[in-house]
Amino acid sequence: MKDSENILLKNFDITPFDAIQDTDYKPAIEQGILEARKEIDLIANSSEPATFENTIAALDYAGYKLDRITSAFFNINSAETNETIQKTAQEVSPLLSEFSNDITLNETLFKRVKHVFDAKDSLDLSREQQVLLEKKYKGFSRNGANLPEDKKARLREIDTQLSKLALTFGENILAETNKFELHITNEADLAGLPESTIESAAQTAEEKEKEGWIFTLEYPSYIPFMKYAENRELRKKMAIAFGAKGFHNDELDNQDHVLNIVNLRHERANLLGYKTHAHFVLEERMAKTPENVERFLEDLLEKAKPAAELEFKQLEKFAKERDGIEQLQKWDSAFYSEKLKQQLFELDDELLKPYFKLENVIDGVFTVAKKLYRLRFVEVFDIPKYHKDVKTYQVFDDKDNFIALFYADFHPRAGKRGGAWMTQFKGQFIKDGVNERPHVSNVCNFTKPTPSKPSLLTFNEVTTLFHEFGHGLHGMLANTTYPSLSGPSVYWDFVELPSQVLENWCYEPEALELFAKHYETGETIPMVLIDKIKKAANFQEGMQTLRQLSFGILDMSWHATDPSGIENVKAHETAAFEGTKLYPDVAENCMSVAFSHIFQGGYSSGYYSYKWAEVLDADAFAYFKENGIFNKEVADQFKNHILSQGGTEDPMVLYKRFRGKEPNPEALLKRAGLIK
């Protein structure tokens, strides 16, 4: 195919998924890199003196076509991948890494950037321009612009290796997830499982042309099995399979990949003059240093651990009394926690699910966005999609201005990685007087509809939908001039504030009454159930907090010290978990080799940010609660100072502008029931 026939190389606003062939991506990315290089070369070799506009702003707008192509491609690789796409990813990632290095290691270009940076005090720059200038300068200086040639060459090698290792890591986990199935043919083995879960498993078996029921490691199959299946041996089998992904000493094993990644990251940080990868990363975070992160985690651990240990003893006692269990194991956790929750609060996810039909929850989150931010969502059916399950919406404000295009992709399938995330096919920015509006996507893995029932969500899935939609609002309501400062382009320990704060509405009667309606009768969720949801909100909060902290501690153990002496991934992990351990270790399992957040995603040295942002979100929501959860003035302040501002200013400055003061950590501890 000629380049001129490649749809991705034509000018488009809406990504033309219906016309893209898998084989279009690689030539389009290669051509996109060539065109972006020409744009960069024009900036670097300009005969004009370097100015903010012709160097800094020009750099931020450069490579727009390439950005659009890669945004489409890498989301497809996450949400609808196949062998061709994965092969392409392995081939183009080194090219993109090399291109990125070619920019940051371009001495001529860096001289122009430095010239503007050195003159910054004499320039009449807006606050946003000042931030962009500092970001661009740091982008060069923090990524090797000042290194001698031999170290620049090594940096290139490291970045190429890291890009390929991250892809392979993720491909292995997806392959492991798709490979495993628990095939049940004896109906007695289904004891305890809800009717909807059994029906889904029968549907999966039918799709695979097998008799009986099939359970997989995808969350909508795995979680209800672990929560409800009475057969302890089968729960054990599922739990071990889930925890052993990437840990089988076979072609899908990730142990060497983990060691290679952490050692390369450490070497890279050292090359750039930093003690560890965490020191490099955290310089550009609210936390600033590994020491601050470790203090933060230790402080929370000190408060959460006594509560977690009490909760664990309560769970042990309950399991022994109910079933004579002498030693609780990890595959008992969800099962007995659910049974104990039912006993304490008379609350069962299966009681709640009929009130959380997916379409109603989507309408609910749209209504919350309308009441808070005056947004209107209109489903449209003529937008090209990459899969038939995807829903598309146009978003307008109360003056009928077009705000964003929103894609929603909610069900698991073989080509989609696990978890939930927000991404963009097009970011927001202002250029030549035109405010380019964003195209935002939420991707999740929720329970599928069955022949007899629509998609009914667990309460946890409801909060996940709200969480990702909070990220979505951060993208949709962006209103900044420069692309790299727009929407969720903020410090990673600030990016979870918009997502986590929106989860709070899921617990409020005023919000639940808008959308929690029985899928058959239309009856609004009874207040008695809402009260139970609120009462159960802090159930095992100590144990949940301990679990989150253990992940943050594991992340820092890999990235805040020299990893060169680590030879055994499992042994290192076991030592890191020692201070947060409640359950006996499972020899066959290893979390690090499937810890995609830090080894495939962008959370290395940043997993703590979920808890960090919880401090912000608890404090922010306390402000809403004081004034009413749909208070227009507070919502406008959150929109104007947080959601629309992206990374145009220091996060704490933005937060204080919204809240009037710094966040109070006690709000989180009180909400979690860890202090009175």
Side-chain angles (χ1 to χ4, degrees):
M1 179 187 286
K2 295 175 185 172
D3 286 342
S4 60
E5 296 170 4
N6 190 324
I7 190 72
L8 284 163
L9 292 171
K10 297 182 187 299
N11 290 326
F12 57 84
D13 181 48
I14 294 170
T15 309
F17 287 115
D18 56 343
I20 302 171
Q21 304 296 316
D22 289 348
T23 50
D24 289 343
Y25 285 110
K26 186 181 178 185
I29 290 170
E30 289 172 335
Q31 182 62 29
I33 290 173
L34 284 176
E35 292 182 22
R37 279 190 195 283
K38 288 176 186 171
E39 293 176 57
I40 299 296
D41 288 345
L42 282 173
I43 298 166
N45 301 319
S46 171
S47 57
E48 299 288 322
T51 65
F52 177 86
E53 286 300 330
N54 72 16
T55 303
I56 307 303
L59 263 178
D60 212 50
Y61 292 123
Y64 175 68
K65 181 180 282 188
L66 179 62
D67 287 342
R68 292 298 309 274
I69 297 166
T70 54
S71 294
F73 174 71
F74 283 107
N75 190 60
I76 290 297
N77 192 36
S78 294
E80 183 60 8
T81 198
N82 56 46
E83 285 186 13
T84 303
I85 294 291
Q86 289 181 341
K87 182 171 181 285
T88 300
Q90 290 284 358
E91 290 167 348
V92 302
S93 290
L95 303 180
L96 291 164
S97 176
E98 181 184 14
F99 173 60
S100 176
N101 285 144
D102 285 346
I103 296 173
T104 53
L105 301 178
N106 183 323
E107 287 184 30
T108 309
L109 185 58
F110 181 50
K111 279 178 187 169
R112 289 181 68 82
V113 171
K114 190 172 186 303
H115 175 81
V116 181
F117 184 77
D118 289 344
K120 64 181 184 296
D121 293 338
S122 64
L123 304 175
D124 185 22
L125 299 178
S126 68
R127 188 178 68 238
E128 187 177 352
Q129 289 172 328
Q130 290 170 25
V131 171
L132 183 67
L133 174 56
E134 185 165 320
K135 182 173 182 174
K136 289 297 175 197
Y137 177 75
K138 280 185 174 178
F140 282 84
S141 61
R142 278 171 49 83
N143 286 288
N146 294 313
L147 292 178
E149 285 307 314
D150 61 329
K151 290 188 175 179
K152 283 182 180 177
R154 179 58 187 147
L155 189 73
R156 286 176 181 276
E157 290 171 6
I158 290 172
D159 287 344
T160 298
Q161 287 176 266
L162 283 172
S163 69
K164 296 193 81 164
L165 281 166
L167 279 172
T168 304
F169 183 98
E171 286 170 7
N172 287 353
I173 297 307
L174 181 61
E176 287 271 51
T177 303
N178 290 338
K179 192 168 80 167
F180 176 86
E181 58 182 48
L182 177 67
H183 186 198
I184 290 177
T185 52
N186 181 355
E187 197 167 351
D189 289 335
L190 303 173
L193 291 170
E195 179 194 332
S196 58
T197 303
I198 293 170
E199 191 174 357
S200 290
Q203 193 175 350
T204 303
E206 192 178 320
E207 287 165 4
K208 292 175 180 274
E209 299 180 348
K210 292 185 180 179
E211 295 295 317
W213 304 266
I214 287 178
F215 295 88
T216 72
L217 300 182
E218 289 172 345
Y219 283 117
S221 180
Y222 176 75
I223 288 173
F225 193 92
M226 297 308 296
K227 197 181 273 191
Y228 295 109
E230 292 279 354
N231 189 318
R232 193 183 188 208
E233 279 305 305
L234 290 181
R235 289 203 313 270
K236 177 180 178 180
K237 187 174 182 180
M238 284 285 276
I240 287 177
F242 190 88
K245 288 182 289 188
F247 193 57
H248 289 118
N249 293 306
D250 59 9
E251 72 281 358
L252 298 177
D253 194 278
N254 273 341
Q255 290 174 86
D256 285 345
H257 298 324
V258 166
L259 293 176
N260 286 334
I261 288 169
V262 294
N263 279 289
L264 286 167
R265 284 173 175 170
H266 184 71
E267 184 187 349
R268 187 182 195 280
N270 288 171
L271 266 180
L272 295 166
Y274 294 86
K275 186 179 175 186
T276 67
H277 178 68
H279 285 85
F280 170 76
V281 169
L282 293 166
E283 185 179 72
E284 293 290 283
R285 300 286 190 266
M286 292 178 78
K288 301 302 181 195
T289 68
E291 293 74 23
N292 286 343
V293 171
E294 283 159 358
R295 266 195 301 275
F296 170 72
L297 295 173
E298 283 164 14
D299 185 49
L300 272 181
L301 180 60
E302 188 182 319
K303 293 177 172 69
K305 193 171 182 179
E309 288 173 339
L310 280 174
E311 290 164 2
F312 188 68
K313 280 179 185 167
Q314 181 189 34
L315 192 63
E316 281 184 314
K317 183 170 181 281
F318 173 75
K320 187 168 185 180
E321 287 172 356
R322 184 187 189 272
D323 291 327
I325 301 295
E326 292 295 335
Q327 174 65 68
L328 268 185
Q329 301 287 351
K330 287 182 180 176
W331 44 88
D332 298 317
S333 173
F335 180 80
Y336 287 107
S337 292
E338 181 63 24
K339 294 289 181 282
L340 180 58
K341 186 173 80 171
Q342 289 174 17
Q343 179 176 296
L344 294 175
F345 304 101
E346 297 175 337
L347 187 66
D348 177 355
D349 254 337
E350 291 302 305
L351 274 178
L352 298 176
K353 279 170 69 174
Y355 295 97
F356 295 125
K357 181 181 171 184
L358 174 60
E359 290 75 10
N360 291 348
V361 180
I362 295 169
D363 288 345
V365 83
F366 288 170
T367 305
V368 168
K370 182 177 183 179
K371 289 173 79 72
L372 288 171
Y373 307 119
R374 305 176 184 88
L375 297 178
R376 181 166 60 88
F377 292 76
V378 179
E379 186 168 7
V380 287
F381 302 93
D382 57 352
I383 302 292
K385 305 171 182 184
Y386 56 85
H387 191 276
K388 62 181 175 59
D389 286 352
V390 178
K391 294 173 179 284
T392 49
Y393 303 85
Q394 289 177 332
V395 189
F396 300 92
D397 67 11
D398 56 346
K399 296 181 179 64
D400 286 333
N401 296 308
F402 176 71
I403 298 300
L405 189 59
F406 178 57
Y407 297 76
D409 179 3
F410 286 137
H411 298 303
R413 53 184 173 265
K416 185 197 279 193
R417 69 175 168 87
W421 63 94
M422 170 267 189
T423 189
Q424 297 187 128
F425 296 121
K426 176 189 175 187
Q428 178 275 333
F429 59 93
I430 300 170
K431 190 179 182 189
D432 300 330
V434 177
N435 192 330
E436 296 284 351
R437 299 312 303 166
H439 300 173
V440 172
S441 176
N442 277 176
V443 188
C444 304
N445 283 277
F446 296 148
T447 309
K448 282 181 172 179
T450 67
S452 70
K453 284 189 178 67
S455 175
L456 301 176
L457 305 191
T458 65
F459 188 70
N460 186 56
E461 288 177 325
V462 174
T463 58
T464 297
L465 191 150
F466 270 69
H467 178 103
E468 296 308 331
F469 192 77
H471 282 309
L473 288 172
H474 205 184
M476 292 179 223
L477 291 170
N479 197 31
T480 64
T481 304
Y482 303 106
S484 72
L485 300 180
S486 182
S489 300
V490 298
Y491 283 177
W492 277 63
D493 46 8
F494 191 60
V495 79
E496 295 299 334
L497 168 60
S499 55
Q500 290 182 183
V501 78
L502 200 67
E503 291 181 41
N504 290 281
W505 272 260
C506 299
Y507 296 90
E508 298 300 317
E510 207 179 330
L512 284 168
E513 286 167 357
L514 298 172
F515 66 92
K517 300 181 188 297
H518 198 285
Y519 79 99
E520 289 176 315
T521 67
E523 175 204 10
T524 301
I525 190 168
M527 185 55 70
V528 66
L529 281 182
I530 294 178
D531 288 342
K532 287 176 180 179
I533 289 171
K534 287 191 73 89
K535 282 177 183 166
N538 288 337
F539 175 63
Q540 294 186 341
E541 184 64 40
M543 286 170 66
Q544 293 300 327
T545 300
L546 202 65
R547 181 173 177 270
Q548 281 284 93
L549 293 175
S550 74
F551 298 165
I553 290 165
L554 178 62
D555 174 25
M556 295 305 287
S557 79
W558 282 118
H559 294 115
T561 55
D562 179 353
S564 59
I566 303 170
E567 294 178 357
N568 185 303
V569 173
K570 172 74 174 181
H572 174 79
E573 175 177 296
T574 303
F577 280 154
E578 191 55 43
T580 57
K581 183 176 159 188
L582 293 172
Y583 292 92
D585 180 57
V586 181
E588 301 96 322
N589 287 182
C590 181
M591 183 192 170
S592 296
V593 293
F595 199 171
S596 298
H597 273 76
I598 67 170
F599 292 120
Q600 182 190 7
Y603 279 84
S604 63
S605 305
Y607 201 86
Y608 74 91
S609 59
Y610 284 102
K611 276 293 168 195
W612 186 279
E614 269 192 62
V615 172
L616 300 175
D617 102 63
D619 186 70
F621 191 66
Y623 190 29
F624 273 99
K625 287 279 282 184
E626 287 162 20
N627 295 280
I629 65 166
F630 290 115
N631 182 281
K632 288 285 194 291
E633 288 74 24
V634 178
D636 282 346
Q637 282 174 240
F638 195 74
K639 174 185 169 184
N640 296 336
H641 300 309
I642 306 288
L643 296 176
S644 67
Q645 293 300 299
T648 58
E649 206 162 352
D650 183 272
M652 191 55 79
V653 172
L654 291 175
Y655 188 84
K656 286 195 286 189
R657 204 169 283 144
F658 153 67
R659 187 69 166 94
K661 60 178 184 176
E662 288 201 3
N664 180 1
E666 288 204 348
L668 168 62
L669 298 170
K670 282 179 180 172
R671 184 179 71 182
L674 297 175
I675 62 170
K676 297 297 181 194

